[in-house]
PDB file of all heavy atoms in Angstrom:
ATOM      1  N   LYS G 180      34.880  18.862   4.822  1.00  0.00           N
ATOM      2  CA  LYS G 180      35.907  17.966   5.363  1.00  0.00           C
ATOM      3  C   LYS G 180      37.216  18.206   4.623  1.00  0.00           C
ATOM      4  O   LYS G 180      37.267  18.160   3.390  1.00  0.00           O
ATOM      5  CB  LYS G 180      35.481  16.496   5.224  1.00  0.00           C
ATOM      6  CG  LYS G 180      36.444  15.515   5.880  1.00  0.00           C
ATOM      7  CD  LYS G 180      35.885  14.098   5.796  1.00  0.00           C
ATOM      8  CE  LYS G 180      36.795  13.118   6.508  1.00  0.00           C
ATOM      9  NZ  LYS G 180      36.265  11.746   6.478  1.00  0.00           N
ATOM     10  N   LYS G 181      38.247  18.456   5.345  1.00  0.00           N
ATOM     11  CA  LYS G 181      39.546  18.713   4.741  1.00  0.00           C
ATOM     12  C   LYS G 181      40.337  17.412   4.586  1.00  0.00           C
ATOM     13  O   LYS G 181      40.109  16.427   5.277  1.00  0.00           O
ATOM     14  CB  LYS G 181      40.316  19.715   5.594  1.00  0.00           C
ATOM     15  CG  LYS G 181      39.599  21.070   5.719  1.00  0.00           C
ATOM     16  CD  LYS G 181      39.199  21.620   4.354  1.00  0.00           C
ATOM     17  CE  LYS G 181      38.370  22.875   4.445  1.00  0.00           C
ATOM     18  NZ  LYS G 181      37.862  23.329   3.117  1.00  0.00           N
ATOM     19  N   PRO G 182      41.282  17.392   3.638  1.00  0.00           N
ATOM     20  CA  PRO G 182      42.056  16.171   3.382  1.00  0.00           C
ATOM     21  C   PRO G 182      42.787  15.703   4.649  1.00  0.00           C
ATOM     22  O   PRO G 182      43.095  16.522   5.516  1.00  0.00           O
ATOM     23  CB  PRO G 182      43.037  16.619   2.296  1.00  0.00           C
ATOM     24  CG  PRO G 182      42.391  17.803   1.654  1.00  0.00           C
ATOM     25  CD  PRO G 182      41.646  18.488   2.757  1.00  0.00           C
ATOM     26  N   PRO G 183      43.087  14.389   4.739  1.00  0.00           N
ATOM     27  CA  PRO G 183      42.832  13.378   3.704  1.00  0.00           C
ATOM     28  C   PRO G 183      41.354  12.940   3.635  1.00  0.00           C
ATOM     29  O   PRO G 183      40.681  12.839   4.664  1.00  0.00           O
ATOM     30  CB  PRO G 183      43.710  12.201   4.135  1.00  0.00           C
ATOM     31  CG  PRO G 183      43.834  12.368   5.619  1.00  0.00           C
ATOM     32  CD  PRO G 183      43.838  13.846   5.888  1.00  0.00           C
ATOM     33  N   ILE G 184      40.876  12.702   2.421  1.00  0.00           N
ATOM     34  CA  ILE G 184      39.501  12.265   2.174  1.00  0.00           C
ATOM     35  C   ILE G 184      39.538  10.967   1.374  1.00  0.00           C
ATOM     36  O   ILE G 184      40.276  10.857   0.395  1.00  0.00           O
ATOM     37  CB  ILE G 184      38.699  13.344   1.389  1.00  0.00           C
ATOM     38  CG1 ILE G 184      38.598  14.635   2.182  1.00  0.00           C
ATOM     39  CG2 ILE G 184      37.324  12.823   1.017  1.00  0.00           C
ATOM     40  CD1 ILE G 184      38.024  15.794   1.397  1.00  0.00           C
ATOM     41  N   ARG G 185      38.743  10.021   1.797  1.00  0.00           N
ATOM     42  CA  ARG G 185      38.601   8.779   1.048  1.00  0.00           C
ATOM     43  C   ARG G 185      37.166   8.300   1.234  1.00  0.00           C
ATOM     44  O   ARG G 185      36.809   7.781   2.289  1.00  0.00           O
ATOM     45  CB  ARG G 185      39.610   7.734   1.544  1.00  0.00           C
ATOM     46  CG  ARG G 185      39.597   6.440   0.757  1.00  0.00           C
ATOM     47  CD  ARG G 185      40.663   5.471   1.216  1.00  0.00           C
ATOM     48  NE  ARG G 185      41.994   5.906   0.837  1.00  0.00           N
ATOM     49  CZ  ARG G 185      43.037   5.108   0.610  1.00  0.00           C
ATOM     50  NH1 ARG G 185      42.879   3.816   0.736  1.00  0.00           N
ATOM     51  NH2 ARG G 185      44.211   5.588   0.295  1.00  0.00           N
ATOM     52  N   MET G 186      36.316   8.522   0.253  1.00  0.00           N
ATOM     53  CA  MET G 186      34.900   8.236   0.403  1.00  0.00           C
ATOM     54  C   MET G 186      34.285   7.675  -0.875  1.00  0.00           C
ATOM     55  O   MET G 186      34.792   7.873  -1.968  1.00  0.00           O
ATOM     56  CB  MET G 186      34.126   9.502   0.808  1.00  0.00           C
ATOM     57  CG  MET G 186      34.285  10.720  -0.128  1.00  0.00           C
ATOM     58  SD  MET G 186      33.288  10.677  -1.657  1.00  0.00           S
ATOM     59  CE  MET G 186      31.683  11.015  -0.998  1.00  0.00           C
ATOM     60  N   VAL G 187      33.197   6.929  -0.683  1.00  0.00           N
ATOM     61  CA  VAL G 187      32.342   6.504  -1.803  1.00  0.00           C
ATOM     62  C   VAL G 187      30.920   6.908  -1.463  1.00  0.00           C
ATOM     63  O   VAL G 187      30.531   6.968  -0.288  1.00  0.00           O
ATOM     64  CB  VAL G 187      32.416   4.989  -2.074  1.00  0.00           C
ATOM     65  CG1 VAL G 187      33.748   4.612  -2.662  1.00  0.00           C
ATOM     66  CG2 VAL G 187      32.106   4.176  -0.829  1.00  0.00           C
ATOM     67  N   CYS G 188      30.127   7.173  -2.499  1.00  0.00           N
ATOM     68  CA  CYS G 188      28.726   7.588  -2.305  1.00  0.00           C
ATOM     69  C   CYS G 188      27.833   6.825  -3.287  1.00  0.00           C
ATOM     70  O   CYS G 188      27.804   7.133  -4.471  1.00  0.00           O
ATOM     71  CB  CYS G 188      28.578   9.096  -2.531  1.00  0.00           C
ATOM     72  SG  CYS G 188      26.862   9.661  -2.465  1.00  0.00           S
ATOM     73  N   PRO G 189      27.124   5.807  -2.796  1.00  0.00           N
ATOM     74  CA  PRO G 189      26.183   5.101  -3.670  1.00  0.00           C
ATOM     75  C   PRO G 189      24.820   5.795  -3.628  1.00  0.00           C
ATOM     76  O   PRO G 189      24.463   6.454  -2.649  1.00  0.00           O
ATOM     77  CB  PRO G 189      26.092   3.714  -3.016  1.00  0.00           C
ATOM     78  CG  PRO G 189      26.330   3.980  -1.561  1.00  0.00           C
ATOM     79  CD  PRO G 189      27.236   5.175  -1.471  1.00  0.00           C
ATOM     80  N   GLY G 190      24.022   5.639  -4.695  1.00  0.00           N
ATOM     81  CA  GLY G 190      22.671   6.206  -4.670  1.00  0.00           C
ATOM     82  C   GLY G 190      22.023   6.251  -6.045  1.00  0.00           C
ATOM     83  O   GLY G 190      22.670   6.003  -7.072  1.00  0.00           O
ATOM     84  N   LYS G 191      20.757   6.620  -6.036  1.00  0.00           N
ATOM     85  CA  LYS G 191      19.989   6.744  -7.283  1.00  0.00           C
ATOM     86  C   LYS G 191      20.304   8.072  -7.972  1.00  0.00           C
ATOM     87  O   LYS G 191      20.483   9.100  -7.317  1.00  0.00           O
ATOM     88  CB  LYS G 191      18.477   6.648  -7.014  1.00  0.00           C
ATOM     89  CG  LYS G 191      17.995   5.273  -6.604  1.00  0.00           C
ATOM     90  CD  LYS G 191      16.476   5.268  -6.481  1.00  0.00           C
ATOM     91  CE  LYS G 191      15.951   3.861  -6.179  1.00  0.00           C
ATOM     92  NZ  LYS G 191      16.403   3.372  -4.877  1.00  0.00           N
TER      93      LYS G 191
END
Side-chain angles (χ1 to χ4, degrees):
K180 186 175 182 178
K181 299 309 174 187
I184 297 171
R185 184 176 289 207
M186 55 80 73
V187 289
C188 174
K191 289 185 176 65

